[in-house]
Amino acid sequence: MLAGSLVVTGLFPHGPSPLPDRLADTGGGSQLITAVAPAPGSTTGRVTWWDRRAGHWFEAGSAPARFGANGLTEGATRTQGTNTTPTGLYDLPYAFGIARAPAGTEVRYRRVGPASWWCQDNASGSYNRWVEPLPADCAPGEAEHLVSYEKQYAHALVIGFNYDRPVRGRGAGIFLHVNGRGATAGCVSVPERAMRAILRWANPRRRPHIAVGTESGALAVTRY
């Protein structure tokens, strides 16, 4: 019986089960990123990336993370411009960067150029989309000129928040990217070394997702 218990609970039979085992959903793939803050008002926390092998989740890497300047909020009801990071479970449509993709990157990686923008204009037909060049219906003041964020967008992964069927006013341009000077405008950020490691780790055939939330409470990551 003891040997069986060791197999079921993994490498640490006397500790808590791995975080992915406690989530309501992990997206159905065998790779997962968790981005967890201590509380809704936190601007820092931790990102961990996980592999599922032989029916069990194993930690592949971990790094300190930064969140929105105003903390985290429920993704389903988030309001654009609030500098909050949306909680929830999301896919990762593709990666991009000003720098070349790290060697070994398998996810689709789009290079940022002088004409690359992310449209956040609620009146535009390109709302919450990469555009190149900036279309006439997307005001420059309502878009991010990606090449202007040399440090943050050296490497990034698009987080599929409000992406497939964008709801106007909910928010646009939520990414996992390299740290800037401090808290983000709503994205999740990690040190550059960690971002490069995540890009080398992510395998599109394994359907990686990201779960964003707090350690406990109404926005607990385990709800998603």
Side-chain angles (χ1 to χ4, degrees):
M1 290 297 292
L2 180 58
S5 297
L6 287 172
V7 172
V8 170
T9 55
L11 298 177
F12 305 101
H14 302 297
S17 58
L19 179 57
D21 282 341
R22 291 176 270 141
L23 267 61
D25 189 5
T26 58
S30 59
Q31 287 189 327
L32 179 72
I33 300 170
T34 54
V36 184
S42 301
T43 60
T44 60
R46 195 147 198 94
V47 158
T48 305
W49 47 108
W50 307 82
D51 286 307
R52 186 169 178 82
R53 301 190 302 272
H56 302 284
W57 287 101
F58 297 90
E59 181 178 319
S62 185
R66 297 174 181 173
F67 298 95
N70 289 322
L72 294 79
T73 192
E74 173 62 56
T77 56
R78 181 181 184 269
T79 300
Q80 184 167 327
T82 53
N83 288 342
T84 53
T85 298
T87 59
L89 177 69
Y90 306 106
D91 64 354
L92 300 161
Y94 62 91
F96 68 88
I98 296 170
R100 292 183 182 275
T105 298
E106 294 189 55
V107 294
R108 183 164 69 96
Y109 190 92
R110 190 168 185 179
R111 287 294 298 277
V112 172
S116 304
W117 296 73
W118 197 277
C119 183
Q120 301 178 353
D121 189 337
N122 282 279
S124 174
S126 300
Y127 178 67
N128 202 20
R129 286 293 184 272
W130 176 302
V131 289
E132 195 170 313
L134 189 69
D137 72 345
C138 186
E142 298 293 330
E144 278 194 346
H145 193 199
L146 298 178
V147 75
S148 299
Y149 297 86
E150 183 176 0
K151 183 176 177 65
Q152 294 94 323
Y153 295 159
H155 303 292
L157 267 168
V158 176
I159 295 176
F161 165 72
N162 200 31
Y163 189 78
D164 287 341
R165 297 179 178 85
V167 176
R168 311 286 167 157
R170 183 153 295 165
I174 300 297
F175 312 126
L176 173 62
H177 64 68
V178 177
N179 284 339
R181 291 185 177 180
T184 73
C187 296
V188 180
S189 73
V190 293
E192 183 173 3
R193 179 179 294 181
M195 193 67 234
R196 292 175 63 86
I198 290 169
L199 288 176
R200 288 191 295 266
W201 159 85
N203 183 335
R205 295 180 298 279
R206 298 179 63 188
R207 298 170 57 199
H209 284 68
I210 185 168
V212 184
T214 55
E215 292 177 359
S216 60
L219 300 180
V221 71
T222 52
R223 292 181 52 233
Y224 303 107

